[in-house]
Amino acid sequence: MADNAETFLSSFNRIEKWMREELDNPRNMGFSQMVRVLSKHEELPIKKYEDDLLQISQLRNAIVHEQIDENFIIAEPNEWIIGRIKKIEAELSQPELVLPRFAKNVTGFEQNLPIVELLKIVANKRYSQFPLYDKGKFQGLITLRNLGYWFAKESQNGEIRLQARTAKELILQEEKQENYAFVAATTRVSKIETMFHGNPRLDAVFITKDGDPNGNLLGIIRPQDVFNL
């Protein structure tokens, strides 16, 4: 058998073994069926590669079941498909985690921070996101969008006076979906992609050791951080 075919089948078999282990070694379940079942698991990167894996399964069947003799096969994998199946295998068996790629010093702010001071930080440091806390307990995430909406709403009541107004007031209570999420340091990057796709209002995903919103912030992920990879 040609080298490419052997390489392809070896990688295919390892992917199939990985899927069976994820499903606790089911009986009477073929490769394509396992792909469809696992693609429903949001924490796994299978969904992203579902179409590729189904086509790979067809190629595998052509190689194995339609081989004319030991030295001649009908379907010979090209370099592109070899690279593709290796990439998929690597992402399944050794998935990239949110750390260390998204490790970052993240500054938290007390919810009683005066809005005047918050505006100074925006102007001087160009911060665009402000995680708010009440003595160590996470309260919400303020973004420039929240800030703009608040000013627009307040302007309807006449002149805006910022004295004694605090950052806590900027949290949008009427949001149907929260604009933040927390994940553990061991979370797969593929799950973050799914989270952003599932919630268009999601502005940031914060990383703590075990996903506790009140834990120390180890990093932050914004939509552009993931989709610019």
Side-chain angles (χ1 to χ4, degrees):
M1 185 179 294
D3 290 341
N4 274 7
E6 292 180 352
T7 299
F8 175 88
L9 291 176
S10 295
S11 187
F12 179 94
N13 291 337
R14 288 190 291 269
I15 290 173
E16 184 175 38
K17 180 175 182 293
W18 178 90
M19 290 196 297
R20 289 197 179 281
E21 290 174 350
E22 285 291 322
L23 292 170
D24 198 23
N25 296 306
R27 294 182 178 181
N28 303 320
M29 186 177 290
F31 187 93
S32 295
Q33 187 177 356
M34 288 192 293
V35 169
R36 293 188 177 96
V37 171
L38 288 173
S39 68
K40 298 177 182 178
H41 294 218
E42 293 186 354
E43 74 279 9
L44 300 176
I46 288 287
K47 182 63 178 178
K48 180 167 64 172
Y49 296 116
E50 181 178 6
D51 291 340
D52 286 328
L53 287 167
L54 292 176
Q55 292 183 31
I56 282 171
S57 178
Q58 293 179 1
L59 177 57
R60 179 263 181 189
N61 291 339
I63 294 173
V64 172
H65 299 303
E66 299 181 29
Q67 184 176 353
I68 296 176
D69 61 43
E70 184 176 351
N71 297 315
F72 181 81
I73 57 175
I74 291 178
E76 170 69 11
N78 58 28
E79 293 300 325
W80 184 89
I81 196 63
I82 293 297
R84 191 65 172 170
I85 195 172
K86 285 184 175 180
K87 173 181 172 61
I88 295 172
E89 180 191 351
E91 190 163 339
L92 295 180
S93 60
Q94 297 177 323
E96 182 182 18
L97 306 182
V98 292
L99 293 184
R101 177 181 286 275
F102 298 112
K104 190 176 183 179
N105 292 327
V106 184
T107 303
F109 299 86
E110 280 296 314
Q111 65 176 4
N112 59 3
L113 175 73
I115 292 179
V116 171
E117 294 301 316
L118 186 148
L119 292 174
K120 289 180 181 179
I121 296 172
V122 172
N124 297 329
K125 296 187 177 182
R126 297 191 175 184
Y127 285 9
S128 60
Q129 294 171 326
F130 297 80
L132 294 188
Y133 291 83
D134 179 16
K135 299 178 181 179
K137 293 186 177 181
F138 184 80
Q139 300 298 305
L141 172 65
I142 300 303
T143 66
L144 295 184
R145 179 172 63 86
N146 298 91
L147 193 59
Y149 179 80
W150 185 85
F151 271 105
K153 190 174 181 180
E154 286 293 311
S155 68
Q156 302 303 306
N157 300 320
E159 182 181 358
I160 302 174
R161 297 182 180 275
L162 296 179
Q163 288 75 13
R165 310 295 293 269
T166 63
K168 181 180 180 180
E169 299 180 55
L170 301 173
I171 297 177
L172 301 181
Q173 302 293 343
E174 62 269 31
E175 291 279 2
K176 293 182 179 180
Q177 289 180 296
E178 293 177 334
N179 65 337
Y180 63 85
F182 283 83
V183 296
T186 54
T187 303
R188 300 172 182 180
V189 173
S190 58
K191 180 178 180 179
I192 304 301
E193 296 175 357
T194 301
M195 291 171 67
F196 280 120
H197 280 300
N199 181 4
R201 291 187 177 274
L202 190 59
D203 291 311
V205 174
F206 295 104
I207 306 168
T208 59
K209 182 179 179 181
D210 55 4
D212 181 3
N214 302 321
N216 293 329
L217 295 176
L218 304 177
I220 182 174
I221 312 171
R222 301 162 301 172
Q224 61 266 37
D225 297 327
V226 171
F227 300 120
N228 286 342
L229 288 178

